[in-house]
Amino acid sequence: GDSVTQMEGPVTLSEEAFLTINCTYTATGYPSLFWYVQYPGEGLQLLLKATKADDKGSNKGFEATYRKETTSFHLEKGSVQVSDSAVYFCALSAPSNDYKLSFGAGTTVTVRA
Amino acid sequence: DGGITQSPKYLFRKEGQNVTLSCEQNLNHDAMYWYRQDPGQGLRLIYYSQIVNDFQKGDIAEGYSVSREKKESFPLTVTSAQKNPTAFYLCASSSILVTSGSYEQYFGPGTRLTVT
């Protein structure tokens, strides 16, 4: 079945450091790919998305490119801030799975001043 | 403002009692979902509904029940049969129209249920 594997955390960085969170997927057909962010005590917010190969999603300085050849959707940000401290979830949605979201386990990121 | 509301934010119950969590959306989405999140873990799907008066079990439906009498509302009941009900519960919705594109889900703020 469809699945997502993302880099285990926790990840601790200093402010202005470069952030990468790896995400790979397994799916039949052509899934859509998403990154969600969850701040403490809150629900999930959609951070960015990509719907086809080579699409780049971007938002708030974060970027991720849909790589079909490597089945990956790695999240990157060039210069993190303390406010980026959160849990990040990679997810996919595919017609083969009734368009339900399959989530990775989440990666906790802590940015120190 | 369009969005998803969940109430209450915190809920406390005694063991053996049923409890109902509210979820309402005004995004005109057809599909609605309930997830459970335990500390340090990902999300697990409890139930979902793609149309009024119809719903399907997710991965961990035992001990839970839902109804979908209106498009806007998808309440979740945590029954006394749920062995470990203390968790953070998240409701979500999505459009399932082909023209909408990518079927992303939008989440509510969550309800933290504590059963003692």
Side-chain angles (χ1 to χ4, degrees), chain A residues 19-39:
Chain A
L19 170 68
T20 299
I21 305 176
N22 290 340
C23 172
T24 57
Y25 68 89
T26 302
T28 52
Y30 302 95
S32 295
L33 301 172
F34 309 92
W35 277 101
Y36 283 86
V37 59
Q38 184 178 34
Y39 299 102

Side-chain angles (χ1 to χ4, degrees), chain A residues 37-51:
Chain A
V37 59
Q38 184 178 34
Y39 299 102
E42 298 184 8
L44 274 68
Q45 299 176 23
L46 178 64
L47 182 58
L48 53 83
K49 67 180 182 183
T51 59

Side-chain angles (χ1 to χ4, degrees), chain B residues 27-78:
Chain B
L27 299 168
N28 198 33
H29 285 166
D30 291 295
M32 297 186 73
Y33 309 81
W34 274 105
Y35 294 91
R36 170 182 173 135
Q37 186 178 30
D38 293 286
Q41 296 190 30
L43 281 73
R44 293 184 288 172
L45 182 64
I46 304 172
Y47 269 99
Y48 67 105
S49 167
Q50 295 187 323
I51 194 169
V52 173
N53 292 322
D54 189 40
F55 47 82
Q56 287 76 41
K57 293 181 179 179
D59 301 316
I60 56 164
E62 185 175 349
Y64 299 96
S65 65
V66 293
S67 63
R68 186 87 186 277
E69 297 177 1
K70 298 186 301 182
K71 186 176 183 178
E72 301 80 16
S73 178
F74 191 41
L76 173 74
T77 297
V78 184

Side-chain angles (χ1 to χ4, degrees), chain B residues 93-114:
Chain B
S93 71
S94 71
S95 173
I96 57 171
L97 294 174
V98 173
T99 54
S100 71
S102 56
Y103 309 95
E104 63 264 30
Q105 292 181 18
Y106 295 89
F107 285 79
T111 292
R112 189 166 299 280
L113 173 65
T114 302

